[in-house]
């Protein structure tokens, strides 16, 4: 697009730092927490991941939009971010799967973006100072005026954003991973009677549900405010706590629900926000990370085995707050924060990362098979 046809845009951070660039996507003003993602691919999955609700995402990879967008790669029914920040934008994508350009896609969903700024300097700023609120605008180009709006916005700490992304009604999910993308010769432990999994939707990604279905599970997705007794009416073989946005400590209803579900002694598996909710329900505490973990190459593990994982979160569990009945199974090997846990006597475990790899590496897909095996063992013990 010729510069004569572009619309000026302004980005202002809560500390008063400002960046001038050009608009892509929708016009208008949007306020959110400015974070960065280091992935070199998967921008559409990132934009549509409900875990990014309330955030403006900076993409450190300098080229965005080269492959356009398509309906198959959406992790939810719309972009969940408050805005997008890029160095360069491709206006004319080149990919056989593309159905729309990224700027047109964001414009359709009323999501503003800014490009043409130094994303390296912005990322360095966030790493040094920490993630903070910011605003993108095409209509307010005075930094002082936009800063006033940014500074009046609530901080991420203390925000419960789950009601904005959870399903309003229960539904069954049956779609499995498309054969073109299935990387295992046999997706896993699908033999035996079909297992029923109730997924508590805190902001679930579609590909997580596809992986559960690919492993032979009947998946029932329920709203985040579903009472525990209603969840147990499905007679589930296991309960899944999904990923999602915001401060886990503020999601008090889901914490209370999980505490009640622990008494059923049914297998429980949590991912990302679900991992944090599980930890909180077991008596742990969470804290906000300086700039979070968002990327496709986060090393996690213990001792000799290391998994390269996809992560997207702002908060972490405090290991010192976990009781003696909890075992830490994985650490983020960059900063030693808790990346996985399990209960020593109950069939309960969780991981901080996204094992469905959308986007990301496939190292951790075995986690779904472990959940299936845990449910089968629990069913056999009861019978």
């Amino acid at each position: 697009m010729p510069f004569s046809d572009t619309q000026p845009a302004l980005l202002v951070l809560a500390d008063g730092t400002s960046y001038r660039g050009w608009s892509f996507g929708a016009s208008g003003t949007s306020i959110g927490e400015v974070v960065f993602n280091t992935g070199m691919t998967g921008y559409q999955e990132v934009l549509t991941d409900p875990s990014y609700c309330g955030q403006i995402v900076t993409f450190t990879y300098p080229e965005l939009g080269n492959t356009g967008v398509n309906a198959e790669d959406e992790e939810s029914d719309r972009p969940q971010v408050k805005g997008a920040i890029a160095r360069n934008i491709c206006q004319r994508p080149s990919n056989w799967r593309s159905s729309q350009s990224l700027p047109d896609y964001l414009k359709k969903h009323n999501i503003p973006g800014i490009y043409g700024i130094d994303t390296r300097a912005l990322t360095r700023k966030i790493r040094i100072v920490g993630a903070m609120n910011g605003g993108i605008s095409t209509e307010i180009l005075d930094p002082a005026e936009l800063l006033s709006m940014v500074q009046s916005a609530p901080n991420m700490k203390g925000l419960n954003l789950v009601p904005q992304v959870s399903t309003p009604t229960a539904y069954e999910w049956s779609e499995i991973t498309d054969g073109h993308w299935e990387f295992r010769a046999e997706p896993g432990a699908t033999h035996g009677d079909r297992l029923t999994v109730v997924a508590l939707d805190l902001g679930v990604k579609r590909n997580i549900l596809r992986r559960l279905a690919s492993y032979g599970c009947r998946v029932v997705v329920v709203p985040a405010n579903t009472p525990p007794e209603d969840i147990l009416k499905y007679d589930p073989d296991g309960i899944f706590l999904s990923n999602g946005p915001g401060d886990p400590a503020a999601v008090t209803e889901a914490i209370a629900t999980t505490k009640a579900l622990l008494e059923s002694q049914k297998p429980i598996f949590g991912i990302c926000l679900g991992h944090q909710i599980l930890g909180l329900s077991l008596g742990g505490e969470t804290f906000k990370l300086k700039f979070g973990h968002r990327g496709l190459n986060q090393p996690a593990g213990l001792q000799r085995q290391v998994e390269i994982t996809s992560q997207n979160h702002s908060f972490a569990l405090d290991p010192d707050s976990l009781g003696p009945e909890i075992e830490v199974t994985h650490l983020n090997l960059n900063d030693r924060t808790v990346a996985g846990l399990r209960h020593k006597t109950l069939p309960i475990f969780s991981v901080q990362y996204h094992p469905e790899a959308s986007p990301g590496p496939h190292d951790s897909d075995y986690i779904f098979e472990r959940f299936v095996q845990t449910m089968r063992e629990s069913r056999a013990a009861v019978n």
Side-chain angles (χ1 to χ4, degrees), residues 274-286 317 321-322 341 350:
H275 158 80
Q276 297 159 355
I277 295 295
L278 183 59
L280 289 164
S281 73
L282 291 166
E285 297 177 357
T286 54
L317 283 166
S321 69
L322 299 172
L341 61 81
S350 61

Side-chain angles (χ1 to χ4, degrees), residues 125-362:
K125 173 84 173 179
I126 296 170
R127 281 185 59 88
I128 293 172
V129 180
M132 68 186 83
N133 281 345
I136 297 174
S137 184
T138 60
E139 55 193 4
I140 302 173
L141 300 180
D142 175 14
E145 183 180 352
L146 186 55
L147 176 62
S148 177
M149 292 182 62
V150 169
Q151 292 180 334
S152 65
N155 291 321
M156 185 61 70
K157 187 173 176 60
L159 280 185
N160 178 8
L161 299 174
V162 168
Q164 298 184 32
V165 295
S166 183
T167 178
T169 57
Y171 64 94
E172 283 200 31
W173 180 278
S174 58
E175 181 183 334
I176 65 173
T177 302
D178 188 286
H180 292 94
W181 312 118
E182 180 57 67
F183 51 91
R184 289 179 179 265
E186 193 170 326
T190 59
H191 57 280
D193 294 337
R194 198 176 188 200
L195 299 166
T196 297
V197 174
V198 173
L200 191 65
D201 181 9
L202 308 172
V204 71
K205 295 168 68 177
R206 289 173 175 173
N207 272 299
I208 291 177
L209 300 177
R210 289 189 182 107
R211 292 317 290 157
L212 289 169
S214 293
Y215 276 92
C217 299
R218 172 195 175 217
V219 183
V220 181
V221 185
V222 299
N225 61 358
T226 304
E229 55 270 22
D230 289 353
I231 291 174
L232 294 175
K233 284 179 183 178
Y234 290 99
D235 191 23
D237 295 288
I239 297 157
F240 171 68
L241 308 176
S242 85
N243 64 293
D247 184 344
V251 193
T252 54
E253 194 168 24
I255 297 169
T257 296
T258 305
K259 281 183 180 179
L261 292 171
L262 292 173
E263 298 179 8
S264 72
Q265 299 193 6
K266 289 181 177 290
I268 299 177
F269 169 36
I271 287 177
C272 201
L273 181 64
H275 158 80
Q276 297 159 355
I277 295 295
L278 183 59
L280 289 164
S281 73
L282 291 166
E285 297 177 357
T286 54
F287 64 95
K288 195 172 190 299
L289 296 165
K290 186 175 183 180
F291 49 81
H293 302 148
R294 296 175 185 84
L296 315 182
N297 60 348
Q298 298 278 332
L302 283 178
Q303 299 175 348
R304 301 180 191 178
Q305 185 167 345
V306 177
E307 301 167 33
I308 304 302
T309 67
S310 177
Q311 299 197 15
N312 168 25
H313 60 107
S314 298
F315 294 81
L317 283 166
D318 178 359
D320 295 331
S321 69
L322 299 172
E325 73 280 5
I326 306 302
E327 176 187 356
V328 174
T329 59
H330 299 75
L331 294 175
N332 183 301
L333 299 179
N334 285 331
D335 61 8
R336 311 296 289 180
T337 52
V338 177
L341 61 81
R342 75 174 183 88
H343 197 283
K344 292 181 179 178
T345 59
L346 297 175
I348 294 166
F349 67 98
S350 61
V351 291
Q352 181 65 82
Y353 47 85
H354 289 221
E356 89 295 340
S358 298
H362 300 146

Side-chain angles (χ1 to χ4, degrees), residues 361-378:
H362 300 146
D363 296 27
S364 307
D365 190 73
Y366 73 91
I367 295 287
F368 294 103
E369 188 166 1
R370 176 180 294 176
F371 184 40
V372 169
Q373 185 61 32
T374 300
M375 288 188 288
R376 293 208 181 281
E377 291 172 355
S378 181

